[in-house]
Amino acid sequence: MDSSDVREATTELLRVLGPHTDRDWAAVPAGSLEWSCRTTATHIAHDLLAYAGQVAARPDTAYLPFDLTVRPSATPADILRVVTAAAGLLATALDASPADARAWHWGPCDPTGFAAMGTAEILLHTHDITQGLAVEWPPPGPLCERVLARLFPDAPDGDPAAVLLWCTGRGDLDGRERRTSWVWQAALTA
């Protein structure tokens, strides 16, 4: 995975959520999360910025000690612009990073891992927000397939969107119990 996946996921987020920025995202829970749609959208931006920082600075023992703050007065449209900016920073950092670069994410993680995590954050939390706003939207299968291949190497076969939602405790999969906890494998094992 690479910067093009992050950009593609961001374009999809804007396409599906952009028409709903006139709604009160702070008053609506994001799907099964305890967060509101607003908090979930700011979380996307926070994670994308954190990943960009990791890729750019390449720390090897921890996350950099900074956080993103979105002002309380920010509207949903403002927050989508912040997400777009954070996604752009991650994509730019990925483009500038050599393939053999490593940065910490619970171990050494390469640029493909950060691209996969950024894409996953966008897809999964867009799904959460659409659930809260009662907007029908399946995450795009090709992006889900690439995320699964990089972050969930032991994922079962099936529709990539359904499998990704199941892997992250957001959906059911025939013949399998719903997950109540999960972790993706971004750090390299070898």
Side-chain angles (χ1 to χ4, degrees):
M1 297 195 74
D2 60 29
S3 64
S4 66
D5 298 300
V6 174
R7 288 183 177 102
E8 183 179 341
T10 304
T11 298
E12 182 64 11
L13 172 145
L14 294 171
R15 184 192 70 75
V16 71
L17 296 179
H20 305 284
T21 57
D22 59 335
R23 300 185 49 195
D24 184 359
W25 290 19
V28 181
S32 63
L33 301 180
E34 294 179 9
W35 295 336
S36 69
C37 290
R38 182 189 196 287
T39 299
T40 303
T42 61
H43 169 80
I44 297 169
H46 174 274
D47 281 2
L48 296 174
L49 182 63
Y51 297 159
Q54 292 302 100
V55 171
R58 299 185 195 146
D60 58 5
T61 60
Y63 265 89
L64 297 174
F66 73 93
D67 287 305
L68 171 69
T69 301
V70 176
R71 294 182 185 139
S73 61
T75 66
D78 293 332
I79 295 169
L80 290 185
R81 283 189 287 276
V82 174
V83 169
T84 301
L89 291 169
L90 175 56
T92 300
L94 290 167
D95 286 340
S97 187
D100 63 349
R102 300 293 181 264
W104 191 84
H105 180 82
W106 311 107
C109 186
D110 67 351
T112 68
F114 283 101
M117 290 188 297
T119 301
E121 292 287 346
I122 294 166
L123 296 177
L124 293 168
H125 291 309
T126 297
H127 176 266
D128 296 332
I129 295 167
T130 61
Q131 294 293 294
L133 298 176
V135 173
E136 188 67 31
W137 178 77
L143 279 173
C144 293
E145 189 171 12
R146 293 192 294 275
V147 167
L148 287 166
R150 178 57 181 83
L151 299 179
F152 296 97
D154 295 332
D157 292 333
D159 172 72
V163 172
L164 181 59
L165 294 175
W166 175 80
C167 283
T168 59
R170 289 171 169 82
D172 296 317
L173 208 55
D174 286 342
R176 298 181 182 270
E177 288 189 34
R178 189 175 198 135
R179 286 190 162 178
T180 56
S181 66
W182 56 274
V183 63
W184 57 42
Q185 185 179 326
L188 301 172
T189 57

